[in-house]
Amino acid sequence: MSDHHHHHGGGGHCQGEHDHSNDITPALQSLLYSQIDFDSITTLNEATEKGGAAIVQKTWAERLNDKPELESDADEQLLMYIPFTGQVKLHSLLLYTAPTAAAPKTVKLFKNRDDLDFSTASELSPTQTIEVPQPVAGADVFELPLNRAHWNTTTSVTLFFEDNWTDGEDDVTKVGYIGFKGQFMALNREPVSFLYEAAANPNDHVSIPGLNDIGSRVMPGQ
């Protein structure tokens, strides 16, 4: 995993002439921020109500801000349900945490499950498991690639933060920013509308008896 970290940490330094603002445009092209259903996000074991939703609602420009920050409550585990407004194809998970041992270490991701609790999340096989690199001072967001074949037709993601880098010494996990990269797929009503028109056009509405005139349907005897 260290190689993964050095790749991301080093990437910013290799392009010394760039600052973070120059990196915003390519990232925004595939950010799924506007496709997240923020009002329906739920987080179990969060220390502050809506703390999970707050860090997902951070914009890309706010990703490195200290606050808001999601903290776990009773122990180090967090379970976040994040729905989208339609179907998406996920490419990567974006994650930022302050460079402390409270940063998450293992994240299990479940696709299209709105019924998980800590017990079921611990028992079920996840769609994918990610080992998150330990953050260091000055690091930007980790872009953690997902297996794209597993993340087509995704309507929600549940993130199970299983442990952190304290190795059991501290029962608080902290997360500063969560985002997603991928492709947004059209809502159902768009292809349905298209299919209806495609089916109707060959018949040229007028040639369908009784359908070219609303009155003929309401009063068939007239």
Side-chain angles (χ1 to χ4, degrees):
M1 278 295 131
S2 59
D3 291 338
H4 191 112
H5 167 68
H6 289 311
H7 172 73
H8 287 287
H13 299 299
C14 292
Q15 303 169 349
E17 68 276 17
H18 294 293
D19 61 21
H20 288 309
S21 63
N22 293 112
D23 298 329
I24 290 176
T25 303
L28 289 180
Q29 288 173 350
S30 56
L31 275 182
L32 293 172
Y33 183 85
S34 61
Q35 279 76 43
I36 296 172
D37 182 0
F38 297 109
D39 291 339
S40 300
I41 294 173
T42 59
T43 307
L44 301 184
N45 196 39
E46 58 185 2
T48 304
E49 186 177 359
K50 295 293 183 182
I55 65 165
V56 181
Q57 284 183 280
K58 279 185 178 179
T59 63
W60 178 254
E62 298 168 335
R63 67 195 185 281
L64 304 183
N65 291 1
D66 294 337
K67 301 293 180 185
E69 186 176 52
L70 171 62
E71 291 188 21
S72 64
D73 188 16
D75 57 25
E76 75 280 7
Q77 296 188 336
L78 288 160
L79 189 67
M80 293 186 67
Y81 168 72
I82 305 172
F84 298 98
T85 58
Q87 287 189 357
V88 299
K89 295 180 179 181
L90 290 184
H91 298 168
S92 56
L93 169 68
L94 304 173
L95 197 64
Y96 175 77
T97 60
T100 70
K105 184 176 183 180
T106 308
V107 184
K108 293 182 176 179
L109 296 87
F110 297 85
K111 172 185 171 181
N112 301 351
R113 295 292 299 256
D114 61 359
D115 57 344
L116 298 181
D117 56 23
F118 285 106
S119 176
T120 51
S122 299
E123 295 168 3
L124 293 174
S125 296
T127 308
Q128 188 167 346
T129 300
I130 293 177
E131 299 297 330
V132 184
Q134 187 165 17
V136 296
D140 202 313
V141 168
F142 287 126
E143 181 172 357
L144 305 164
L146 299 178
N147 184 333
R148 297 188 184 191
H150 294 162
W151 294 99
N152 291 328
T153 63
T154 300
T155 55
S156 71
V157 179
T158 301
L159 304 176
F160 176 35
F161 294 93
E162 193 169 40
D163 53 18
N164 58 29
W165 283 94
T166 64
D167 294 324
E169 295 177 16
D170 191 340
D171 59 4
V172 175
T173 295
K174 298 181 180 181
V175 186
Y177 169 84
I178 291 173
F180 300 94
K181 276 188 180 182
Q183 293 175 283
F184 184 65
M185 301 165 66
L187 294 172
N188 286 340
R189 64 172 177 266
E190 292 176 30
V192 166
S193 171
F194 169 77
L195 290 172
Y196 173 78
E197 290 301 325
N201 283 343
N203 296 308
D204 285 330
H205 298 284
V206 177
S207 68
I208 305 176
L211 291 186
N212 62 327
D213 180 339
I214 291 178
S216 67
R217 287 197 294 169
V218 176
M219 303 177 64
Q222 302 294 313

